Amino acid sequence: EVQLVESGGGLVQPGGSLRLSCAASGFTFSASDMKWVRQAPGKGFQWVSAINSGGDGKYYGPAVEGRFTISRDNAKNTLYLEMNSLETEDTAVYYCDTGRFMYSDFRPRTQGTQVTVSS
């Protein structure tokens, strides 16, 4: 059974940084593409970023391109999202999940981690 645990969220001022982590278990992490998805208050799910199984293919949504960096450590079964130059619009619950794409019927497997960007 796929198990994912996100951490690293919190309250940060605009322009600040945070690093999210996602600890994975129950499946072959090193063979799985992974992604981050977020949901802002009152809005739908938004695909943020994805990475291929080997870590050499990285993909970003236009809202975060140039500010966020996705990475992974297959030895530690952990996915990361380094978020810099945070904006108030980045306020959301962030979820990690398997696969590269997000489909219309996406439902998070976890509670996610809350990121709040506010002065």
Side-chain angles (χ1 to χ4, degrees), residues 14-89:
S17 299
L18 280 175
R19 188 194 197 199
L20 306 184
S21 298
C22 171
S25 62
F27 65 105
T28 307
F29 179 77
S30 60
S32 298
D33 295 349
M34 297 292 295
K35 63 177 174 286
W36 288 96
V37 173
R38 69 185 181 184
Q39 186 176 33
K43 297 188 177 180
F45 294 106
Q46 181 184 42
W47 181 90
V48 174
S49 181
I51 187 169
N52 68 358
S53 59
D56 57 349
K58 302 179 181 183
Y59 314 92
Y60 300 95
V64 307
E65 179 86 53
R67 300 187 298 120
F68 290 12
T69 302
I70 192 170
S71 63
R72 65 192 297 160
D73 186 336
N74 285 345
K76 295 182 177 180
N77 284 1
T78 303
L79 176 72
Y80 303 100
L81 187 68
E82 183 77 33
M83 305 186 295
N84 298 314
S85 302
L86 282 162
E87 304 169 352
T88 56
E89 293 78 10

